Amino acid sequence: MVHLLSSIRTRLIKKPVFNKPAYWLLPGLLLLAGSARAQLGASSLTGPGIAINADYQPSSHYIRPEDSLKMPATTVQRRLTLGAGFTLSQKIDTSTGKVRIWNLGVMGSYTSFSNKDYENSVFPKELFGGEIALQHMRTLNPKWSLMGMVSVGLYTDLEKITYDDVFITGGVIFIRKINRKLNLGVGAALTNSFGTPMVLPALLVQWRTGDRFRVDINFPEKLSVSSSLSKYDDLALAFRFNGGAYDVENRKDGKRLMGYQEMSLGLENTLHLSKKIDFNLAGGTVLLRSVTFRDKKISDMFSTRPEHRLATNLYVSAGVRCRF
């Protein structure tokens, strides 16, 4: 699911982050760990603020699932994402160092697909994902913290909006501070992605190290290596994973749950225009873009379904974020 609010850090985990993501098949796994952000590039929020991001992926050939043959059919993809994060409450016990934080995140993403020469419809003309999420974070002791979250989102192809387009997810995860560089978390999430509410595992891995070159592993959002070119400019090489689940109409086979996957590798340049405003420009290659279609029921969760892919292609991404 395309979600918001991820990688939350308190004093044990540095600072709050508002992104959230997810992989469509195991939303609980990604629910509390990181956002399958609806964008390429580095414009996701790293604290309370507002961010806007635009992605463009030029014409890519369709690869059909039955024989992995590249077809004459092509798709151009454009995406616009807007997110906002707010700290509702933050309390710090000065005697113990314990922190309690309430965060609110709002996200909207619009994607358009320009499809040409398809014999049968595969990719929808457009997708919309919108979500509001409430999150609570507290430290339990110097080694452990707790994070809980509930979100309500609308994920649709805009053909017809019904209750089936509404995705509700909630969960809790316990985070262990291994050392100042590594945090591990495990918990559970409840989601209605497959119609009937079900419980799934939730995992979190955060590892950050380096001085001149910083290595940042934030599962399942990204793996990046970055360096400061100057106090105004940062450059990173990042591998990112995005995903989403949408309720779609008009499929001939009647399957309504569309799962979208995207993996990218690119250079991300961040210009610090001021203490609160950043401009981000990114570019690279999309290694994987694919969709599958399933019935929205638990019995179809782990069934094998044809994977419709788009050929590897370049992408460009630009965005602005403003911190409160």
Side-chain angles (χ1 to χ4, degrees), residues 109-122:
S109 176
Y110 175 78
T111 304
S112 68
F113 296 91
S114 298
N115 305 307
K116 291 185 178 180
D117 301 325
Y118 282 83
E119 295 181 2
N120 298 302
S121 176
V122 178

Side-chain angles (χ1 to χ4, degrees), residues 36-84:
R37 296 166 310 107
Q39 71 216 30
L40 297 156
S43 290
S44 56
L45 288 170
T46 54
I50 297 175
I52 185 170
N53 199 87
D55 304 329
Y56 175 73
Q57 300 177 56
S59 180
S60 301
H61 283 279
Y62 168 60
I63 300 176
R64 65 186 186 187
E66 51 264 37
D67 53 12
S68 297
L69 183 65
K70 186 182 293 187
M71 305 299 291
T74 60
T75 294
V76 177
Q77 184 174 338
R78 301 173 181 87
R79 181 167 50 205
L80 182 66
T81 304
L82 176 66

Side-chain angles (χ1 to χ4, degrees), residues 40-288:
L40 297 156
S43 290
S44 56
L45 288 170
T46 54
I50 297 175
I52 185 170
N53 199 87
D55 304 329
Y56 175 73
Q57 300 177 56
S59 180
S60 301
H61 283 279
Y62 168 60
I63 300 176
R64 65 186 186 187
E66 51 264 37
D67 53 12
S68 297
L69 183 65
K70 186 182 293 187
M71 305 299 291
T74 60
T75 294
V76 177
Q77 184 174 338
R78 301 173 181 87
R79 181 167 50 205
L80 182 66
T81 304
L82 176 66
F86 308 91
T87 298
L88 302 180
S89 173
Q90 179 172 303
K91 296 181 179 180
I92 301 175
D93 188 329
T94 55
S95 62
T96 63
K98 291 184 178 181
V99 180
R100 295 182 181 182
I101 301 176
W102 286 94
N103 294 318
L104 180 70
V106 181
M107 184 276 293
S109 176
Y110 175 78
T111 304
S112 68
F113 296 91
S114 298
N115 305 307
K116 291 185 178 180
D117 301 325
Y118 282 83
E119 295 181 2
N120 298 302
S121 176
V122 178
F123 298 91
K125 294 180 180 179
E126 54 189 352
L127 291 172
F128 172 79
E131 180 181 84
I132 182 169
L134 179 66
Q135 183 185 64
H136 178 60
M137 184 79 178
R138 65 168 59 195
T139 54
L140 303 177
N141 57 49
K143 290 293 184 180
W144 286 93
S145 60
L146 173 70
M147 180 167 60
M149 190 273 298
V150 61
S151 69
V152 179
L154 179 70
Y155 297 93
T156 175
D157 60 359
L158 297 175
E159 292 288 338
K160 182 181 178 182
I161 298 177
T162 67
Y163 178 75
D164 291 323
D165 299 276
V166 178
F167 291 77
I168 302 173
T169 309
V172 63
I173 190 167
F174 292 89
I175 303 170
R176 175 76 157 89
K177 181 182 179 181
I178 306 301
N179 53 50
R180 65 184 182 87
K181 298 178 180 179
L182 176 64
N183 297 288
L184 301 176
V186 62
L190 181 70
T191 178
N192 71 335
S193 297
F194 286 85
T196 303
M198 62 183 301
V199 177
L200 294 172
L203 299 176
L204 172 71
V205 178
Q206 294 173 333
W207 183 68
R208 178 176 291 182
T209 186
D211 296 317
R212 181 178 178 184
F213 293 98
R214 298 182 298 276
V215 178
D216 188 359
I217 298 176
N218 196 338
F219 173 83
E221 179 191 343
K222 70 173 182 177
L223 188 159
S224 69
V225 179
S226 61
S227 179
S228 295
L229 303 181
S230 71
K231 65 178 181 178
Y232 303 107
D233 193 7
D234 295 332
L235 183 65
L237 175 65
F239 172 79
R240 292 183 179 271
F241 176 78
N242 296 328
Y246 297 83
D247 185 82
V248 297
E249 304 281 343
N250 302 328
R251 288 282 304 172
K252 290 183 178 181
D253 56 12
K255 299 188 181 301
R256 297 179 59 97
L257 186 64
M258 188 191 86
Y260 176 81
Q261 299 178 66
E262 181 179 272
M263 295 182 185
S264 64
L265 178 67
L267 289 173
E268 302 175 355
N269 187 245
T270 301
L271 296 174
H272 305 292
L273 303 181
S274 71
K275 290 184 178 180
K276 294 188 176 182
I277 300 176
D278 295 334
F279 173 74
N280 304 280
L281 184 64
T285 180
V286 180
L287 304 173
L288 171 68

